[in-house]
Amino acid sequence: MGHHTFDIDRADSLEDDSRYAYLSVDELLGLFDFEATDCVADLGSGTGFYTRSVATHVDSVLAIDIQPAMHAVFEEFGRPANVHRLTASVDRLPVGTDALPAAYSTMTYHEFVSDRALAELARVIEPGGRVAVADWSAEGVGERGPPLAERYDAATVAEHLAEHGFAIDRTRERRETLVVSARYEPSSA
Ligand SMILES: C[S@@+](CC[C@H](N)C(=O)[O-])C[C@H]1O[C@@H](n2cnc3c(N)ncnc32)[C@H](O)[C@@H]1O
């Protein structure tokens, strides 16, 4: 279900303030209803473009990325002390069951999604915990981001999450991107 992994040779292009036109930090924080005491996971953290901002509002961030080289670029751009790197795939997380109160992902869902990844997410998020996904949408205009054929639309992302025990709070299509937020409620599966 997931598509190609972001090319490490283009890592620097992620550090581009024009990306805020598609998702601002304020929007992202509003999506996962963070608490200052949370340890939050960033699924596919890349160079840390959004991670660094989120880290100033929560206790700590677990920056999860499948590519060690991406973590190295994150280090070069500056990693806050409360951001902890984890090299792993979302479909196999070396994280305890119910260990996390919240997780978010920016522009990466289309790369990591699979039944196994969603099952892992459901395993590591505590009951009542929050998840937020922002990504390029299949309903978008295609002026930026991956090809439309490699994307999902908001309704499909919500359906995937609901199938794995998440109760959907918000499902929005925008012009180019989607946002979906949910709470883990195992009894709702
Ligand atoms: C398009 S980049 C976005 C990075 C960051 N979220 C941002 O918005 O700047 C996608 C990142 O997800 C990582 N990634 C892709 N598939 C993954 C997987 N299965 N598990 C963990 N990370 C993954 C890639 O290595 C890459 O760093």
Side-chain angles (χ1 to χ4, degrees):
M1 290 161 82
H3 293 283
H4 75 268
T5 303
F6 196 83
D7 184 358
I8 187 66
D9 293 335
R10 293 176 47 232
D12 286 6
S13 70
L14 294 170
E15 295 289 319
D16 175 356
D17 286 355
S18 71
R19 296 183 63 202
Y20 293 132
Y22 301 93
L23 177 72
S24 75
V25 172
D26 203 45
E27 259 187 301
L28 175 59
L29 291 167
L31 280 179
F32 67 88
D33 191 18
F34 72 96
E35 289 175 23
T37 52
D38 283 344
C39 170
V40 172
D42 183 337
L43 309 170
S45 46
T47 60
F49 180 73
Y50 286 103
T51 330
R52 280 187 291 278
S53 299
V54 171
T56 65
H57 297 277
V58 296
D59 178 70
S60 53
V61 183
L62 191 57
I64 299 169
D65 204 286
I66 197 170
Q67 299 189 77
M70 203 55 98
H71 281 313
V73 180
F74 190 162
E75 210 67 39
E76 282 168 24
F77 279 105
R79 176 175 57 86
N82 66 338
V83 173
H84 309 288
R85 299 177 310 174
L86 180 60
T87 302
S89 177
V90 178
D91 61 19
R92 191 182 288 265
L93 292 171
V95 174
T97 298
D98 298 344
L100 296 169
Y104 69 91
S105 178
T106 56
M107 311 313 174
T108 303
Y109 183 86
H110 66 282
E111 294 189 27
F112 71 68
V113 66
S114 68
D115 272 341
R116 182 167 176 146
L118 293 167
E120 269 297 77
L121 192 55
R123 183 184 67 78
V124 302
I125 297 293
E126 67 183 17
R130 291 95 57 204
V131 166
V133 174
D135 201 0
W136 304 104
S137 175
E139 297 292 319
V141 293
E143 72 187 11
R144 189 159 170 175
L148 294 175
E150 295 187 8
R151 310 175 182 191
Y152 296 88
D153 63 19
T156 304
V157 174
E159 196 178 301
H160 289 163
L161 289 168
E163 283 168 1
H164 288 83
F166 292 89
I168 307 302
D169 289 331
R170 173 172 16 202
T171 305
R172 298 260 156 77
E173 286 290 356
R174 293 104 67 87
R175 196 178 69 90
E176 183 72 297
T177 58
L178 62 84
V179 294
V180 176
S181 63
R183 282 177 190 272
Y184 184 48
E185 290 179 10
S187 57
S188 71

